[in-house]
Amino acid sequence: MFKITIDNILIEVEEGTTILQAARMIGGKVVPPAMCYYTGLKGSGGKCRSCLVKVAKGSAKDPRPMPKLVASCSTPVQDGMVVENTTSAEVQEARKGVVEFLLINHPLDCPVCDQAGECDLQDLSYGFGMEETNTREPRREYPVVDIGPLIKLHMNRCIHCYRCVLAAEQLTKKRAHGMLYRGDTMEISTFIQTAIDNDFSGNMIDVCPVGALTDKTFRFKSRVWFLNPMNAHRECSKCSGKVTAWMFGNEIYRITGRKDQFGEVEEFICNECRFEKKDINDWVIDGPRKIKRQSVISSNHYEELKKGSIIHPIEGTTEPQE
Amino acid sequence: MGRAILLDKVNIPGIRAFEVYRAHGGYKPVDKGLREMTAAQVQQEVIKSGLRGRGGAGFPTGLKWSFLDRKSDKPRYLVCNADESEPGTFKDRYLMEKLPHLLIEGLILSSYALGVKTCYIYIRGEFKYLVGILETAIREAKKNNYLGERILGTDFSLEIYVHPGAGAYICGEETALLESLEGKRGNPRIKPPFPAYKGVYDCPTVVNNVETLATVAPIISMGGETYAGIGTGKSTGTKLISACGNINKPGVYEIEMGLPTEDFIYSEEYCGGMKNDRMLKAVIPGGSSVPILPADLILNTAKGQPRLITYESLSEGEFESGSMLGSGGFIVFDEDACIVRNTWNLTRFYRHESCGQCSPCREGTGWMEKILYRIEHGQGRMSDIDLLVRIAKNIEGNTICPLGDAAAWPVASAIRHFRGEFEAHINVPCTMYNGQMKEERAL
Amino acid sequence: MEKGSKVNHHLFVRENKAVSFSDETLAKIRSLIRRYPEGRQKSALLPVLHIAQEELGGYLSVDTMDYVASLLGINPMEVYEVATFYSMFYLEKMGKYVLEVCHTGPCAICGGEEVLKHIKDYLHIETGETTPDGMFTLKEVECLGACGNGPVMQVNTEFYEHMTEKQVEKVIEELRQKQGEEGTSKGWAEQFS
Ligand SMILES: Cc1cc2nc3c(=O)[nH]c(=O)nc-3n(C[C@H](O)[C@H](O)[C@H](O)COP(=O)(O)O)c2cc1C
Ligand code: SF4
Ligand code: SF4
Ligand code: FES
Ligand code: FES
């Protein structure tokens, strides 16, 4: 067991644990935001840089601080390590910078985005972003790519986290989409016109931190904060059949995996459960899902947020693609 | 030329051929190393020589070798970094074209020291013709029992393969290079684990620059201590400097570490002075990634000492008034050069070459490029200049690999030393070029 | 002020045309694959794509990439991801000669911009375009690692250095004359022993 201090809180964790996982064991404010790391996806993390923290002391053996901020999601703890997250001004500054980078090319079309209300980028912006935007440059616009009848791809909203690629690689037999090109023209695409279709493709929607991948069968049906998430299950030959049913009255609007407080699903579910079973008789409803409504919109910060800048499309931005 | 240790044979006609190379003392260091020395002794000589990496970071080579995981029962690999894509740097190309066997010698000795049986030369795809030259040299060496099974009758066996890249600066970064070698996109890996433990194919790997590895041959030949006696301080030996820009004699020069930059620029032996007798305006001394220095600071340090071509002297003054030796790409600008345009140009380079994995670099390089494009075309705002500084600061140190820093430093240093020029461009398009600003640029 | 920032990508079409290497090339590719450890045949992807581009039409069509994927036993998507990452791979049909002009700093300050402009005027094409006779495609590329000999241009991966406005005209005319003849430089497959 390793002892590690995060924001002055001491915790004992197993060897091999990452700083982020250790922080999540403590919970609350010391948990760095993670936009690309996803526990269930091997090889995820390290890319978005929103989880940067300062290592003020490397370990008991080698107490030197680490020269640069490190990605907490992909840095394993050392015995005696001292980490600063909320207590470091440098970290707060850097994170603000990362949020800004993630937003300069984001279309900011939350008013027409199905992800609004459960979007990690909204939360991140609200939690760490700046009051106003500093960019007057034109935003990047991708051509629209149709990836089939079940999933809607809005490439302009993508933050290039790689989660959907990893999900497709690890959950399906033959990945039909990928990260193409490079640099700031990097694109999630199928390269050739094709519908992404296999039993587990729908999980791409759940792992996508933003509204770049959304459920076409739920498109514009409702705002998520008007719906009641219920734990539900059914006998399923392909997956555990344990899902969250998002309901309005007795109607099921959509099915997702059961997400924990960090937005990660407990178990990946199959497409049949997700897309085809929208009748309440398909399911046994177990009761309300206790969702820690950490989302800015879910927790009624929406009005407050509206006054700020991140909800309004900024001068010069384009209309949401349709 | 001053002291020629690497390039001593460069002017011998036909030196690319094994027989000629051998006839002029080539492969003697390999004979010595493999027949008379143990692997540990070879490594010891490299440690003693004080040789530092010539690829850019200047990390002590012997020390790097000592990190290699020798406990693992997996095969070990040596990968030679011949990706040479840093603007202003063209020394490795020169060395491989003129003296391919020198590199092969270095690779044999280094592999012997490291206990490596397979070595890959990762060369940028644009150097296609060099692939043939190197493969020929390898074939010749193999025919003469310097490669293949049981080299020179010893227990040591080695294969060297040339592996071409395909146009991506980022593949010069060592972990991106390893990904690329595995046939993947050139995305740098997140470290740790370091290549010394998990490199190519998850096996212990050492990655070194062409020049670094080639230097191992003369080190074994003359002995580490003798080599360490050349140069000054912690910058031992000689260094290949590739000089380009507005000078009379661009080219690759081997210099003894410690040569004053002034001598390098103005003496007939090297750059031969400024072209058309123009005034020296600025120099980027170590490849496009290192901070640019104005004429006074490249010739003398802020303390008034002559600036020398060494790791220490070039970085004296840190980012305030210093730069770095980097890869030895010495880019000279005369009074006619526009610093703003050049900064925009280089930023466009980094934007184009960012792998795109991490947000600060992917988004930040593009953002800086767009702003610099506007400023260059007279559409800037005064506040853009500080914004650029802030963006550069937010990229620096917060990325997966050092390309982020490499993109940030040129911008930050150009503004630090030539702020007036940026201010003069605000609202006034660059006078040196009459490029039309495009309304819409496709990406 | 700049208005748009449109990403210039589009989807490609799988034509299902049969493509294949000659037996000789296949033998070479097999020997290339053997350079890498068992099970790591994907490592040969970049060299094989170079050979494919050169021998199968001057660019990488979807069919060509699918073929390469089958040779290496990998998912075609992995090939698309790689082909779109590296700038030496072309995804569209190119002219017979691809003029790749370096426009990075060191070349630019030595007259590279003028040379580039001159080629555009001389051939009446913009960057990215091909002359109507299908002979020349113009590309701007980043540093080619020959900055001391700038301005630098590559034509089908062959170096042309110290370019001036006169020089490029000469090179272009010489290439025109060569029409029909095979190039003299060695191809990718021949580079490897
Ligand atoms: C963006 C980037 C590009 C690089 N390009 C090269 C290169 O072209 N050639 C090279 O030898 N090293 C390059 N390096 C440095 C390598 O990562 C690595 O440090 C070097 O190959 C180690 O060899 P050395 O210790 O012999 O210098 C680059 C580094 C970065 C971050
Ligand atoms: S589409 Fe979503 S999951 Fe995929 S890379 Fe983009 S943001 Fe990440
Ligand atoms: S810093 Fe740039 S080049 Fe390096 S990993 Fe990040 S995005 Fe890629
Ligand atoms: S969550 Fe750690 S870098 Fe993205
Ligand atoms: S800048 Fe043109 S070859 Fe280096």
Side-chain angles (χ1 to χ4, degrees):
Chain A
M1 294 296 269
F2 280 176
K3 286 200 175 71
I4 157 169
T5 313
I6 305 177
D7 285 345
N8 302 320
I9 301 168
L10 186 72
I11 180 174
E12 229 180 22
V13 297
E14 266 174 53
E15 212 177 315
T17 311
T18 62
I19 299 175
L20 180 74
Q21 285 162 339
R24 283 184 176 181
M25 290 172 198
I26 299 172
K29 270 206 153 58
V30 306
V31 185
M35 300 294 289
C36 67
Y37 173 81
Y38 205 86
T39 313
L41 298 173
K42 249 184 92 200
S44 65
K47 299 186 192 308
C48 71
R49 317 306 284 174
S50 58
C51 71
L52 288 174
V53 293
K54 187 177 170 67
V55 175
K57 183 178 166 190
S59 68
K61 259 196 245 139
D62 181 0
R64 287 176 302 170
M66 292 195 185
K68 291 176 178 178
L69 302 184
V70 300
S72 58
C73 66
S74 31
T75 310
V77 298
Q78 302 293 337
D79 197 22
M81 191 183 244
V82 176
V83 175
E84 294 173 5
N85 176 23
T86 58
T87 48
S88 157
E90 190 188 347
V91 169
Q92 302 307 308
E93 266 312 295
R95 194 166 292 151
K96 224 191 246 179
V98 171
V99 178
E100 187 175 27
F101 287 133
L102 288 175
L103 289 175
I104 52 167
N105 275 308
H106 193 81
L108 301 170
D109 54 354
C110 312
V112 293
C113 178
D114 273 333
Q115 189 87 359
E118 52 179 17
C119 173
D120 291 349
L121 188 59
Q122 276 186 333
D123 299 349
L124 188 77
S125 317
Y126 184 75
F128 307 96
M130 292 192 269
E131 286 292 298
E132 55 189 66
T133 175
N134 277 299
T135 177
R136 54 196 279 249
E137 315 310 322
R139 279 159 208 273
R140 180 172 57 221
E141 285 172 56
Y142 288 92
V144 180
V145 173
D146 181 2
I147 59 168
L150 300 176
I151 305 170
K152 173 79 190 167
L153 170 63
H154 269 285
M155 192 53 214
N156 290 351
R157 296 175 186 153
C158 171
I159 61 156
H160 305 89
C161 71
Y162 272 78
R163 281 182 186 174
C164 60
V165 179
L166 295 170
E169 182 75 31
Q170 291 165 28
L171 303 177
T172 71
K173 283 200 193 74
K174 193 169 177 184
R175 176 160 66 87
H177 85 291
M179 193 62 94
L180 302 174
Y181 306 92
R182 73 176 187 216
D184 66 347
T185 64
M186 215 159 73
E187 180 184 13
I188 289 291
S189 171
T190 47
F191 195 69
I192 44 177
Q193 187 63 62
T194 183
I196 294 181
D197 186 20
N198 59 65
D199 286 344
F200 287 88
S201 64
N203 292 296
M204 285 162 54
I205 301 167
D206 280 351
V207 299
C208 183
V210 292
L213 294 167
T214 49
D215 184 340
K216 267 194 182 170
T217 65
F218 172 64
R219 213 160 147 62
F220 300 140
K221 290 263 164 67
S222 169
R223 286 316 214 168
V224 288
W225 59 91
F226 295 134
L227 302 178
N228 288 320
M230 306 293 274
N231 275 345
H233 73 269
R234 65 181 271 270
E235 283 295 318
C236 178
S237 57
K238 294 179 192 139
C239 70
S240 71
K242 289 183 184 154
V243 303
T244 301
W246 296 75
M247 310 190 50
F248 192 78
N250 265 344
E251 250 185 280
I252 295 180
Y253 273 66
R254 73 164 177 172
I255 303 288
T256 66
R258 293 183 182 174
K259 290 193 184 180
D260 66 14
Q261 56 170 322
F262 304 113
E264 296 180 353
V265 296
E266 288 166 3
E267 277 164 297
F268 293 113
I269 60 170
C270 73
N271 280 9
E272 189 185 326
C273 287
R274 182 186 306 270
F275 297 119
E276 288 166 28
K277 304 290 171 192
K278 297 283 176 86
D279 192 315
I280 188 153
N281 298 318
D282 292 331
W283 297 97
V284 182
I285 306 290
D286 304 325
R289 169 134 191 101
K290 284 202 190 70
I291 284 203
K292 190 157 166 275
R293 297 263 193 175
Q294 103 268 32
S295 161
V296 288
I297 291 177
S298 314
S299 51
N300 285 327
H301 286 309
Y302 189 52
E303 288 309 311
E304 200 178 321
L305 193 72
K306 250 179 159 173
K307 288 182 227 125
S309 60
I310 53 167
I311 280 287
H312 294 292
I314 291 167
E315 168 219 353
T317 60
T318 43
E319 290 300 306
Q321 65 176 34
E322 215 21 68
Chain B
M1 215 180 269
R3 182 134 192 185
I5 290 174
L6 285 168
L7 302 182
D8 58 339
K9 301 189 187 64
V10 83
N11 290 320
I12 300 169
I15 192 68
R16 224 190 258 163
F18 179 86
E19 278 74 33
V20 183
Y21 190 73
R22 181 86 176 113
H24 286 85
Y27 285 90
K28 285 232 174 83
V30 179
D31 295 341
K32 179 179 172 187
L34 265 53
R35 291 212 170 106
E36 298 167 21
M37 298 165 76
T38 63
Q41 282 168 334
V42 172
Q43 174 162 347
Q44 201 52 40
E45 291 306 311
V46 173
I47 293 173
K48 273 193 237 159
S49 74
L51 175 65
R52 292 168 68 174
R54 305 297 197 221
F59 194 81
T61 306
L63 187 59
K64 186 183 221 172
W65 289 8
S66 69
F67 293 151
L68 184 70
D69 181 8
R70 287 160 200 268
K71 293 201 192 92
S72 157
D73 48 12
K74 290 182 182 164
R76 299 170 204 155
Y77 291 94
L78 173 65
V79 179
C80 171
N81 189 342
D83 191 57
E84 189 157 72
S85 317
E86 170 103 350
T89 313
F90 45 97
K91 63 185 178 77
D92 297 339
R93 175 194 183 212
Y94 184 82
L95 194 149
M96 290 184 287
E97 180 179 331
K98 302 285 180 188
L99 299 167
H101 282 290
L102 176 64
L103 176 59
I104 309 293
E105 278 188 283
L107 293 177
I108 299 170
L109 286 164
S110 307
S111 301
Y112 177 62
L114 294 164
V116 159
K117 290 201 178 73
T118 314
C119 167
Y120 295 103
I121 303 175
Y122 183 99
I123 188 164
R124 65 179 298 185
E126 290 88 341
F127 291 169
K128 171 180 162 190
Y129 75 106
L130 287 179
V131 175
I133 291 178
L134 291 168
E135 290 262 334
T136 306
I138 291 168
R139 207 170 45 230
E140 289 176 333
K142 203 163 170 173
K143 223 168 74 192
N144 289 282
N145 195 219
Y146 279 99
L147 283 175
E149 294 295 318
R150 302 184 58 86
I151 297 171
L152 302 178
T154 64
D155 286 342
F156 174 58
S157 305
L158 175 68
E159 292 293 343
I160 303 178
Y161 301 114
V162 184
H163 181 102
Y169 165 67
I170 188 57
C171 292
E173 196 280 334
E174 55 185 11
T175 56
L177 184 149
L178 299 177
E179 287 283 296
S180 184
L181 182 56
E182 292 182 4
K184 302 177 189 158
R185 293 159 62 84
N187 285 346
R189 296 178 181 167
I190 293 144
K191 289 179 270 192
F194 290 93
Y197 280 82
K198 266 186 165 202
V200 70
Y201 312 127
D202 283 344
C203 297
T205 305
V206 167
V207 183
N208 272 129
N209 171 258
V210 170
E211 186 189 344
T212 314
L213 292 167
T215 306
V216 173
I219 287 175
I220 294 310
S221 164
M222 70 172 69
E225 258 161 50
T226 313
Y227 186 87
I230 307 166
T232 66
K234 286 197 173 149
S235 302
T236 60
T238 61
K239 171 90 187 83
L240 298 183
I241 304 287
S242 57
C244 64
N246 310 127
I247 44 175
N248 278 322
K249 296 196 309 174
V252 178
Y253 299 100
E254 181 169 6
I255 60 133
E256 180 167 346
M257 291 272 198
L259 182 78
T261 51
E262 187 162 0
D263 290 2
F264 184 68
I265 299 170
Y266 291 104
S267 81
E268 271 313 306
E269 207 181 335
Y270 303 110
C271 303
M274 301 296 294
K275 204 168 179 173
N276 302 326
D277 283 327
R278 294 278 178 207
M279 292 260 288
L280 172 67
K281 180 175 186 175
V283 171
I284 302 179
S288 64
S289 305
V290 309
I292 190 171
L293 289 179
D296 53 338
L297 283 176
I298 189 69
L299 299 176
N300 294 296
T301 64
K303 287 186 191 139
Q305 304 285 327
R307 184 83 74 182
L308 312 177
I309 303 187
T310 60
Y311 292 101
E312 299 82 18
S313 178
L314 277 170
S315 55
E316 192 184 317
E318 308 263 295
F319 288 129
E320 284 310 306
S321 62
S323 183
M324 279 188 280
L325 176 57
S327 59
F330 202 85
I331 313 169
V332 182
F333 299 87
D334 69 17
E335 56 193 302
D336 288 348
C338 171
I339 299 298
V340 177
R341 190 171 184 84
N342 185 67
T343 309
W344 165 52
N345 185 305
L346 292 182
T347 306
R348 188 202 59 216
F349 171 83
Y350 290 108
R351 175 187 196 177
H352 186 258
E353 300 302 330
S354 161
C355 84
Q357 244 191 130
C358 56
S359 4
C361 172
R362 178 185 65 243
E363 306 296 346
T365 51
W367 192 7
M368 292 197 301
E369 194 272 342
K370 286 179 186 173
I371 296 172
L372 283 161
Y373 179 74
R374 269 198 295 105
I375 296 180
E376 168 69 9
H377 289 84
Q379 305 265 337
R381 290 176 181 173
M382 262 328 159
S383 60
D384 284 337
I385 301 175
D386 285 329
L387 178 57
L388 282 170
V389 174
R390 191 169 68 78
I391 299 171
K393 189 180 139 275
N394 281 343
I395 299 174
E396 192 191 330
N398 293 336
T399 53
I400 295 177
C401 88
L403 188 135
D405 306 343
W409 291 335
V411 174
S413 63
I415 295 177
R416 185 178 317 119
H417 299 301
F418 296 94
R419 195 176 186 106
E421 214 168 297
F422 283 86
E423 287 170 357
H425 273 71
I426 303 293
N427 297 325
V428 188
C430 185
T431 50
M432 289 185 185
Y433 302 86
N434 48 4
Q436 270 271 307
M437 179 144 172
K438 290 190 189 138
E439 284 260 295
E440 214 175 291
R441 289 189 299 159
L443 295 176
Chain C
M1 155 132 187
E2 214 181 333
K3 288 212 188 75
S5 200
K6 291 216 163 61
V7 179
N8 208 357
H9 299 163
H10 62 84
L11 291 177
F12 291 81
V13 180
R14 179 178 278 148
E15 291 180 33
N16 289 317
K17 281 199 196 131
V19 283
S20 61
F21 288 121
S22 67
D23 288 347
E24 204 184 326
T25 306
L26 276 175
K28 179 72 76 154
I29 287 173
R30 260 179 250 121
S31 89
L32 280 179
I33 292 174
R34 279 197 299 274
R35 294 174 163 211
Y36 308 97
E38 279 280 339
R40 299 291 189 167
Q41 73 281 3
K42 188 180 173 185
S43 288
L45 184 52
L46 294 187
V48 173
L49 284 177
H50 278 304
I51 297 173
Q53 172 157 304
E54 200 170 70
E55 300 190 3
L56 303 174
Y59 75 108
L60 297 173
S61 68
V62 176
D63 295 327
T64 301
M65 289 192 270
D66 291 352
Y67 174 56
V68 169
S70 72
L71 285 180
L72 298 179
I74 55 179
N75 181 349
M77 186 38 80
E78 297 177 60
V79 183
Y80 311 151
E81 283 180 319
V82 164
T84 53
F85 186 90
Y86 295 93
S87 62
M88 284 180 79
F89 297 131
Y90 312 139
L91 304 170
E92 319 262 0
K93 184 121 194 69
M94 302 301 254
K96 184 159 192 266
Y97 298 106
V98 186
L99 310 179
E100 299 189 301
V101 184
C102 171
H103 67 159
T104 312
C107 276
I109 58 169
C110 296
E113 307 204 9
E114 288 76 12
V115 167
L116 182 64
K117 183 165 182 303
H118 189 70
I119 298 178
K120 290 182 188 171
D121 294 345
Y122 192 71
L123 291 175
H124 306 290
I125 48 173
E126 283 299 312
T127 302
E129 292 176 354
T130 303
T131 50
D133 60 1
M135 281 291 279
F136 299 103
T137 303
L138 178 63
K139 267 188 84 186
E140 288 172 58
V141 296
E142 301 293 353
C143 180
L144 291 165
C147 329
N149 306 341
V152 180
M153 164 169 94
Q154 273 199 332
V155 183
N156 299 5
T157 63
E158 208 169 316
F159 274 100
Y160 290 80
E161 300 173 347
H162 301 292
M163 286 295 107
T164 59
E165 299 181 3
K166 277 235 168 59
Q167 271 294 323
V168 286
E169 281 184 23
K170 209 174 129 219
V171 171
I172 289 172
E173 289 314 318
E174 277 170 14
L175 290 171
R176 276 219 175 98
Q177 298 304 317
K178 251 181 29 182
Q179 190 175 13
E181 287 172 42
E182 284 306 307
T184 47
S185 62
K186 284 198 285 179
W188 270 108
E190 292 162 81
Q191 302 287 342
F192 301 102
S193 305

